[in-house]
Amino acid sequence: GCSLMRRVSALPDAQNREMSAVALTASAQMRDREKALAAGFHKHLAKSSGIDELAAAITDLTARRKR
């Protein structure tokens, strides 16, 4: 996950600007969130998050792309 996002984030803007990504990790610790965001993910959720949280994250990312 994180290594892939670092590679995607390193692509020229024209190739990666349309992509948004949510990291789903086993841990909800702050360091996991920071690591995911530093790698290029736009959101971070623990795997224990509910479907409503995932849907909200996707809705937020979709709305940002439309602006």
Side-chain angles (χ1 to χ4, degrees):
C2 284
S3 61
L4 173 63
M5 283 308 298
R6 281 191 288 276
R7 292 170 67 186
V8 169
S9 295
L11 294 172
D13 284 345
Q15 291 180 312
N16 74 7
R17 71 174 150 213
E18 296 297 321
M19 185 176 145
S20 298
V22 178
L24 296 172
T25 63
S27 177
Q29 295 182 14
M30 183 59 73
R31 69 174 180 235
D32 296 307
R33 180 182 184 280
E34 291 168 354
K35 181 180 174 184
L37 296 178
F41 284 96
H42 299 90
K43 298 274 184 182
H44 172 269
L45 296 173
K47 287 183 180 177
S48 61
S49 298
I51 190 73
D52 292 337
E53 290 175 277
L54 179 58
I58 293 169
T59 299
D60 181 53
L61 291 175
T62 303
R64 286 185 192 189
R65 287 179 55 187
K66 291 180 180 178
R67 293 183 204 151

